[in-house]
Amino acid sequence: QVQLVESGGGLVQAGDSLRLSCAASGRTISGYTMAWFRQAPGKEREFVSAIAWSGGNTDYADSMRGRFTISRDNAKNTIYLQMNSLATGDTAVYYCAASLRVPWSGRVFQSVYAYWGQGTQVTVSS
């Protein structure tokens, strides 16, 4: 089992930056594909970003590309999401997810991730 705990959320103004962290415990995540999803009020949970086990491959949803950066530190069993130029539309609960067996082609699909954190709230005010 892998336990995931997100942190770093908060209330910021439009244009500000935040860095989210997702700390894993229970097992090393070095072999896991890791991802961030988010869910805004009244909306479906959506893909934000993913990073392959080696860190060599990353991907972003179109609206986040260029503003968000995902990274991982396998030695610390932690992944990060640096979010810059935040906008009110980024307000959501952000979730960390992990999967040992997801092929890179399946990275955007929630169903392939076996482990999820409890989420951290990000609120961007205008």
Side-chain angles (χ1 to χ4, degrees), residues 10-14 18 20 37-46 48 63-64 67-68 83 85-95 120-126:
L11 173 63
V12 297
Q13 292 187 328
L18 274 178
L20 305 183
F37 290 79
R38 71 183 187 184
Q39 187 167 20
K43 295 187 177 180
E44 300 284 326
R45 190 158 55 183
E46 65 176 347
V48 173
S63 63
M64 292 87 170
R67 298 189 300 125
F68 292 8
M83 305 186 295
S85 302
L86 285 163
T88 55
D90 295 316
T91 294
V93 177
Y94 284 71
Y95 297 91
T120 186
Q121 176 71 48
V122 172
T123 303
V124 184
S125 64
S126 59

Side-chain angles (χ1 to χ4, degrees), residues 14 18 21 27 32-34 38 40-41 65 79 88 96 122 126:
L18 274 178
S21 299
R27 289 184 180 178
Y32 286 70
T33 295
M34 304 293 295
R38 71 183 187 184
R65 189 170 288 115
I79 70 165
T88 55
C96 173
V122 172
S126 59

Side-chain angles (χ1 to χ4, degrees), residues 5-86:
V5 178
E6 302 94 335
S7 61
L11 173 63
V12 297
Q13 292 187 328
D16 285 351
S17 299
L18 274 178
R19 189 176 83 153
L20 305 183
S21 299
C22 172
S25 61
R27 289 184 180 178
T28 177
I29 61 168
S30 59
Y32 286 70
T33 295
M34 304 293 295
W36 290 96
F37 290 79
R38 71 183 187 184
Q39 187 167 20
K43 295 187 177 180
E44 300 284 326
R45 190 158 55 183
E46 65 176 347
F47 172 78
V48 173
S49 182
I51 186 166
W53 68 272
S54 66
N57 287 335
T58 60
D59 191 29
Y60 302 90
D62 287 343
S63 63
M64 292 87 170
R65 189 170 288 115
R67 298 189 300 125
F68 292 8
T69 303
I70 191 171
S71 61
R72 66 191 297 159
D73 186 338
N74 287 338
K76 294 183 177 179
N77 236 26
T78 300
I79 70 165
Y80 306 95
L81 185 69
Q82 177 67 42
M83 305 186 295
N84 298 329
S85 302
L86 285 163

